Amino acid sequence: MGTPSDRQLERHIRQSAKDSTHVIFTTHARKRMRERYINDPMVLEVLRMGSFALPPEPDIKHPGLLCRIQRFVAGMQVAVVVYVEYPATDLVIVTVMDVKKD
């Protein structure tokens, strides 16, 4: 399958995030979430309703793409970096940020 457009990739992430079993949190992401007072429902809202903050870029170590998605949720601008191997439905959360503080 060819490389998806940004719009297709954004739609794919939103669709995959509808089922939270497809969302996998790394240890690093969990640590950053605790430090920044960001919880699972906030991350899921960003994935389901956010938009790309930057264009997706290839991951150096793996065949997929790294996508940074942002949304204003619960009083903060939250950015989620997610690893995607299109068209697979699993989404790996690499890190989570409060954009205004980081």
Side-chain angles (χ1 to χ4, degrees):
M1 183 164 249
T3 305
S5 69
D6 289 0
R7 189 165 166 78
Q8 287 173 317
L9 197 55
E10 208 171 66
R11 196 171 335 144
H12 172 73
I13 291 168
R14 288 180 179 158
Q15 193 67 32
S16 296
K18 285 183 180 179
D19 182 354
S20 61
T21 59
H22 294 293
V23 180
I24 303 158
F25 292 86
T26 62
T27 305
H28 174 80
R30 287 282 185 205
K31 182 178 178 187
R32 295 298 172 249
M33 289 168 64
R34 277 191 304 278
E35 289 173 358
R36 296 166 178 149
Y37 303 102
I38 298 171
N39 58 30
D40 288 12
M42 292 166 73
V43 170
L44 291 173
E45 182 175 332
V46 171
L47 293 175
R48 293 172 183 160
M49 301 171 75
S51 56
F52 285 160
L54 301 169
E57 57 187 57
D59 189 333
I60 296 169
K61 297 179 184 176
H62 305 286
L65 295 168
L66 290 171
C67 305
R68 180 174 168 164
I69 303 171
Q70 285 185 197
R71 179 170 173 81
F72 190 79
V73 58
M76 62 175 55
Q77 186 73 18
V78 178
V80 176
V81 177
V82 61
Y83 172 77
V84 182
E85 281 189 32
Y86 185 85
T89 56
D90 284 345
L91 305 172
V92 179
I93 307 303
V94 177
T95 194
V96 178
M97 297 166 266
D98 177 354
V99 176
K100 300 296 182 208
K101 290 185 179 178
D102 291 339

